[in-house]
Short mmCIF file of all heavy atoms in Angstrom, two decimals:
data_model
loop_
_atom_site.label_atom_id
_atom_site.label_comp_id
_atom_site.label_asym_id
_atom_site.label_seq_id
_atom_site.Cartn_x
_atom_site.Cartn_y
_atom_site.Cartn_z
N LYS S 1 -3.62 45.13 43.19
CA LYS S 1 -2.56 44.18 43.58
C LYS S 1 -3.14 42.79 43.73
O LYS S 1 -4.33 42.61 43.93
CB LYS S 1 -1.93 44.63 44.89
CG LYS S 1 -1.15 45.92 44.77
CD LYS S 1 -0.38 46.19 46.01
CE LYS S 1 0.48 47.44 45.78
NZ LYS S 1 1.39 47.63 46.89
N ARG S 2 -2.25 41.81 43.65
CA ARG S 2 -2.63 40.41 43.85
C ARG S 2 -1.61 39.73 44.75
O ARG S 2 -0.43 40.04 44.73
CB ARG S 2 -2.66 39.65 42.53
CG ARG S 2 -3.70 40.14 41.56
CD ARG S 2 -5.08 39.56 41.92
NE ARG S 2 -6.19 40.31 41.41
CZ ARG S 2 -6.55 40.44 40.16
NH1 ARG S 2 -5.87 39.89 39.23
NH2 ARG S 2 -7.62 41.12 39.83
N LYS S 3 -2.08 38.79 45.55
CA LYS S 3 -1.22 38.00 46.41
C LYS S 3 -0.75 36.77 45.67
O LYS S 3 -1.54 36.11 44.98
CB LYS S 3 -1.98 37.53 47.64
CG LYS S 3 -1.63 38.27 48.88
CD LYS S 3 -2.30 37.66 50.08
CE LYS S 3 -2.03 38.57 51.25
NZ LYS S 3 -2.71 38.18 52.42
N ILE S 4 0.53 36.46 45.78
CA ILE S 4 1.08 35.23 45.23
C ILE S 4 1.44 34.38 46.44
O ILE S 4 2.52 34.52 47.03
CB ILE S 4 2.31 35.50 44.33
CG1 ILE S 4 1.89 36.43 43.19
CG2 ILE S 4 2.87 34.19 43.80
CD1 ILE S 4 3.03 36.87 42.29
N ASN S 5 0.50 33.52 46.83
CA ASN S 5 0.65 32.75 48.06
C ASN S 5 1.88 31.86 48.06
O ASN S 5 2.53 31.69 49.09
CB ASN S 5 -0.61 31.94 48.33
CG ASN S 5 -1.80 32.82 48.68
OD1 ASN S 5 -1.62 33.84 49.32
ND2 ASN S 5 -2.97 32.44 48.23
N LYS S 6 2.18 31.24 46.91
CA LYS S 6 3.33 30.34 46.83
C LYS S 6 4.62 31.06 47.20
O LYS S 6 5.55 30.47 47.74
CB LYS S 6 3.49 29.78 45.42
CG LYS S 6 2.46 28.75 45.05
CD LYS S 6 2.74 28.22 43.66
CE LYS S 6 1.70 27.22 43.23
NZ LYS S 6 1.98 26.73 41.87
N LEU S 7 4.71 32.36 46.87
CA LEU S 7 5.93 33.12 47.12
C LEU S 7 5.82 33.97 48.39
O LEU S 7 6.80 34.55 48.84
CB LEU S 7 6.25 34.03 45.94
CG LEU S 7 6.46 33.30 44.60
CD1 LEU S 7 6.70 34.34 43.49
CD2 LEU S 7 7.64 32.36 44.67
N GLY S 8 4.61 34.09 48.93
CA GLY S 8 4.40 34.89 50.13
C GLY S 8 4.57 36.39 49.89
O GLY S 8 5.04 37.11 50.78
N ILE S 9 4.20 36.83 48.68
CA ILE S 9 4.32 38.27 48.37
C ILE S 9 3.03 38.81 47.80
O ILE S 9 2.13 38.06 47.41
CB ILE S 9 5.47 38.53 47.35
CG1 ILE S 9 5.20 37.83 46.05
CG2 ILE S 9 6.80 38.12 47.93
CD1 ILE S 9 6.17 38.21 44.93
N GLU S 10 2.93 40.13 47.75
CA GLU S 10 1.84 40.85 47.12
C GLU S 10 2.47 41.79 46.08
O GLU S 10 3.41 42.51 46.42
CB GLU S 10 1.02 41.62 48.12
CG GLU S 10 -0.22 42.25 47.56
CD GLU S 10 -1.05 42.90 48.64
OE1 GLU S 10 -1.47 42.21 49.57
OE2 GLU S 10 -1.26 44.13 48.54
N THR S 11 1.97 41.76 44.88
CA THR S 11 2.56 42.59 43.82
C THR S 11 1.48 43.24 42.98
O THR S 11 0.34 42.79 42.97
CB THR S 11 3.50 41.74 42.94
OG1 THR S 11 4.15 42.59 42.00
CG2 THR S 11 2.76 40.67 42.19
N SER S 12 1.85 44.31 42.31
CA SER S 12 0.89 44.94 41.40
C SER S 12 0.68 44.02 40.21
O SER S 12 1.47 43.12 39.92
CB SER S 12 1.43 46.29 40.92
OG SER S 12 2.48 46.09 40.00
N LEU S 13 -0.41 44.22 39.50
CA LEU S 13 -0.72 43.38 38.33
C LEU S 13 0.35 43.53 37.26
O LEU S 13 0.56 42.64 36.45
CB LEU S 13 -2.10 43.74 37.75
CG LEU S 13 -3.28 43.39 38.65
CD1 LEU S 13 -4.57 43.80 37.99
CD2 LEU S 13 -3.30 41.92 38.97
N LEU S 14 1.05 44.64 37.27
CA LEU S 14 2.10 44.85 36.28
C LEU S 14 3.43 44.26 36.75
O LEU S 14 4.39 44.24 36.00
CB LEU S 14 2.30 46.36 36.03
CG LEU S 14 1.08 47.09 35.46
CD1 LEU S 14 1.40 48.59 35.36
CD2 LEU S 14 0.68 46.55 34.13
N GLY S 15 3.48 43.76 37.96
CA GLY S 15 4.72 43.31 38.55
C GLY S 15 5.32 42.05 37.94
O GLY S 15 6.48 41.76 38.16
N PHE S 16 4.58 41.28 37.18
CA PHE S 16 5.11 40.05 36.64
C PHE S 16 6.16 40.29 35.57
O PHE S 16 7.05 39.50 35.38
CB PHE S 16 3.99 39.16 36.09
CG PHE S 16 4.49 37.85 35.56
CD1 PHE S 16 4.94 36.86 36.42
CD2 PHE S 16 4.55 37.62 34.21
CE1 PHE S 16 5.42 35.66 35.94
CE2 PHE S 16 5.03 36.41 33.73
CZ PHE S 16 5.46 35.43 34.58
N GLY S 17 6.06 41.40 34.85
CA GLY S 17 7.04 41.68 33.81
C GLY S 17 6.66 41.01 32.51
O GLY S 17 7.43 40.24 31.94
N CYS S 18 5.48 41.25 32.04
CA CYS S 18 4.95 40.59 30.84
C CYS S 18 5.76 40.87 29.58
O CYS S 18 5.63 40.16 28.60
CB CYS S 18 3.49 40.94 30.63
SG CYS S 18 2.43 40.32 31.96
N MET S 19 6.60 41.87 29.59
CA MET S 19 7.39 42.13 28.39
C MET S 19 8.46 41.05 28.22
O MET S 19 9.14 41.00 27.21
CB MET S 19 8.00 43.52 28.41
CG MET S 19 9.01 43.78 29.49
SD MET S 19 9.62 45.46 29.53
CE MET S 19 10.47 45.60 27.99
N ARG S 20 8.57 40.16 29.18
CA ARG S 20 9.53 39.06 29.09
C ARG S 20 8.91 37.77 28.58
O ARG S 20 9.54 36.73 28.57
CB ARG S 20 10.18 38.80 30.45
CG ARG S 20 10.93 40.00 30.98
CD ARG S 20 12.19 40.24 30.14
NE ARG S 20 12.95 41.36 30.69
CZ ARG S 20 13.31 42.40 29.97
NH1 ARG S 20 13.05 42.47 28.70
NH2 ARG S 20 14.00 43.35 30.51
N PHE S 21 7.65 37.81 28.16
CA PHE S 21 7.04 36.63 27.61
C PHE S 21 7.75 36.23 26.31
O PHE S 21 8.24 37.07 25.58
CB PHE S 21 5.58 36.88 27.27
CG PHE S 21 4.63 36.84 28.45
CD1 PHE S 21 3.43 37.49 28.38
CD2 PHE S 21 4.93 36.14 29.59
CE1 PHE S 21 2.54 37.46 29.43
CE2 PHE S 21 4.05 36.09 30.66
CZ PHE S 21 2.87 36.76 30.57
N PRO S 22 7.81 34.92 26.03
CA PRO S 22 8.46 34.46 24.81
C PRO S 22 7.70 34.91 23.57
O PRO S 22 6.47 34.84 23.53
CB PRO S 22 8.45 32.94 24.95
CG PRO S 22 7.46 32.63 26.00
CD PRO S 22 7.30 33.83 26.85
N VAL S 23 8.43 35.40 22.60
CA VAL S 23 7.84 35.95 21.37
C VAL S 23 8.42 35.25 20.17
O VAL S 23 9.61 34.95 20.11
CB VAL S 23 8.10 37.47 21.28
CG1 VAL S 23 7.56 38.05 19.96
CG2 VAL S 23 7.51 38.21 22.46
N LYS S 24 7.55 34.98 19.19
CA LYS S 24 7.99 34.40 17.94
C LYS S 24 7.25 35.11 16.82
O LYS S 24 6.03 35.25 16.86
CB LYS S 24 7.69 32.89 17.90
CG LYS S 24 8.20 32.22 16.64
CD LYS S 24 7.97 30.73 16.70
CE LYS S 24 8.53 30.06 15.49
NZ LYS S 24 8.37 28.61 15.52
N ASP S 25 7.99 35.58 15.85
CA ASP S 25 7.42 36.31 14.73
C ASP S 25 6.59 37.53 15.17
O ASP S 25 5.54 37.82 14.62
CB ASP S 25 6.57 35.40 13.83
CG ASP S 25 7.36 34.28 13.20
OD1 ASP S 25 8.56 34.50 12.88
OD2 ASP S 25 6.83 33.17 13.05
N GLY S 26 7.02 38.16 16.26
CA GLY S 26 6.36 39.38 16.74
C GLY S 26 5.11 39.13 17.58
O GLY S 26 4.44 40.08 17.94
N LYS S 27 4.80 37.86 17.87
CA LYS S 27 3.59 37.55 18.65
C LYS S 27 3.99 36.72 19.87
O LYS S 27 4.89 35.89 19.79
CB LYS S 27 2.59 36.76 17.80
CG LYS S 27 2.03 37.57 16.66
CD LYS S 27 0.99 36.78 15.90
CE LYS S 27 0.47 37.63 14.75
NZ LYS S 27 -0.51 36.90 13.97
N ILE S 28 3.27 36.93 20.96
CA ILE S 28 3.53 36.18 22.18
C ILE S 28 3.15 34.72 21.95
O ILE S 28 2.07 34.42 21.43
CB ILE S 28 2.73 36.75 23.37
CG1 ILE S 28 3.25 38.13 23.74
CG2 ILE S 28 2.80 35.81 24.58
CD1 ILE S 28 2.44 38.83 24.80
N GLU S 29 4.06 33.82 22.33
CA GLU S 29 3.76 32.37 22.28
C GLU S 29 2.89 32.05 23.48
O GLU S 29 3.39 31.88 24.60
CB GLU S 29 5.04 31.57 22.29
CG GLU S 29 5.87 31.74 21.04
CD GLU S 29 7.05 30.80 21.01
OE1 GLU S 29 6.97 29.66 21.51
OE2 GLU S 29 8.10 31.23 20.51
N GLU S 30 1.59 31.97 23.27
CA GLU S 30 0.63 31.86 24.35
C GLU S 30 0.80 30.60 25.19
O GLU S 30 0.69 30.64 26.43
CB GLU S 30 -0.80 31.95 23.81
CG GLU S 30 -1.11 33.34 23.28
CD GLU S 30 -2.54 33.48 22.84
OE1 GLU S 30 -3.42 32.76 23.35
OE2 GLU S 30 -2.79 34.34 21.97
N ASN S 31 1.12 29.48 24.58
CA ASN S 31 1.31 28.24 25.36
C ASN S 31 2.48 28.37 26.32
O ASN S 31 2.40 27.97 27.48
CB ASN S 31 1.50 27.04 24.44
CG ASN S 31 0.25 26.63 23.72
OD1 ASN S 31 -0.84 26.88 24.20
ND2 ASN S 31 0.39 26.00 22.58
N GLU S 32 3.57 28.93 25.84
CA GLU S 32 4.75 29.08 26.71
C GLU S 32 4.50 30.12 27.78
O GLU S 32 4.91 29.96 28.93
CB GLU S 32 5.97 29.49 25.87
CG GLU S 32 6.45 28.39 24.94
CD GLU S 32 6.86 27.13 25.67
OE1 GLU S 32 7.58 27.22 26.68
OE2 GLU S 32 6.46 26.05 25.23
N ALA S 33 3.81 31.20 27.44
CA ALA S 33 3.48 32.23 28.42
C ALA S 33 2.57 31.66 29.52
O ALA S 33 2.77 31.94 30.70
CB ALA S 33 2.82 33.43 27.75
N SER S 34 1.62 30.81 29.13
CA SER S 34 0.72 30.19 30.12
C SER S 34 1.51 29.33 31.10
O SER S 34 1.25 29.32 32.28
CB SER S 34 -0.32 29.34 29.41
OG SER S 34 -1.22 30.15 28.73
N LYS S 35 2.48 28.59 30.57
CA LYS S 35 3.32 27.75 31.45
C LYS S 35 4.07 28.60 32.46
O LYS S 35 4.21 28.24 33.63
CB LYS S 35 4.32 26.95 30.62
CG LYS S 35 3.69 25.85 29.82
CD LYS S 35 4.75 25.15 28.97
CE LYS S 35 4.15 24.21 27.96
NZ LYS S 35 5.16 23.61 27.07
N MET S 36 4.55 29.76 32.03
CA MET S 36 5.27 30.66 32.94
C MET S 36 4.37 31.14 34.03
O MET S 36 4.74 31.19 35.21
CB MET S 36 5.85 31.87 32.15
CG MET S 36 6.96 31.51 31.22
SD MET S 36 7.41 32.90 30.15
CE MET S 36 8.16 34.00 31.34
N LEU S 37 3.13 31.53 33.67
CA LEU S 37 2.19 32.05 34.67
C LEU S 37 1.73 30.98 35.65
O LEU S 37 1.47 31.27 36.81
CB LEU S 37 0.98 32.66 33.96
CG LEU S 37 1.27 33.96 33.22
CD1 LEU S 37 0.09 34.36 32.35
CD2 LEU S 37 1.62 35.08 34.19
N GLU S 38 1.63 29.75 35.18
CA GLU S 38 1.23 28.64 36.06
C GLU S 38 2.24 28.36 37.15
O GLU S 38 1.89 27.80 38.19
CB GLU S 38 0.96 27.39 35.24
CG GLU S 38 -0.30 27.50 34.39
CD GLU S 38 -0.46 26.36 33.41
OE1 GLU S 38 0.35 25.42 33.40
OE2 GLU S 38 -1.43 26.42 32.65
N LYS S 39 3.48 28.74 36.94
CA LYS S 39 4.55 28.50 37.91
C LYS S 39 4.43 29.39 39.14
O LYS S 39 4.98 29.09 40.18
CB LYS S 39 5.91 28.63 37.29
CG LYS S 39 6.22 27.49 36.37
CD LYS S 39 7.64 27.55 35.90
CE LYS S 39 7.94 26.35 35.03
NZ LYS S 39 9.35 26.22 34.75
N ILE S 40 3.77 30.53 39.02
CA ILE S 40 3.68 31.44 40.17
C ILE S 40 2.43 31.28 40.96
O ILE S 40 1.49 30.76 40.67
CB ILE S 40 3.87 32.92 39.77
CG1 ILE S 40 2.79 33.35 38.82
CG2 ILE S 40 5.23 33.13 39.17
CD1 ILE S 40 2.75 34.83 38.59
#
């Protein structure tokens, strides 16, 4: 598990829901996914 201090929660590593990352042509758009992760 990891703590997300900004949100005041603790979640499993699978808790982010990575299947919701933006995809183009069957591949994860890494720049957009990084922006999403930086928000938490």
Side-chain angles (χ1 to χ4, degrees):
K1 293 188 175 189
R2 296 280 158 69
K3 255 186 187 174
I4 302 175
N5 292 325
K6 287 183 182 179
L7 301 177
I9 62 171
E10 186 175 301
T11 185
S12 73
L13 293 179
L14 299 176
F16 182 72
C18 294
M19 66 184 295
R20 298 291 182 233
F21 282 157
V23 176
K24 183 175 183 179
D25 299 325
K27 294 183 180 178
I28 292 174
E29 292 187 35
E30 292 184 27
N31 288 334
E32 292 300 314
S34 290
K35 289 178 190 175
M36 292 171 69
L37 290 170
E38 289 171 3
K39 287 187 177 190
I40 61 169

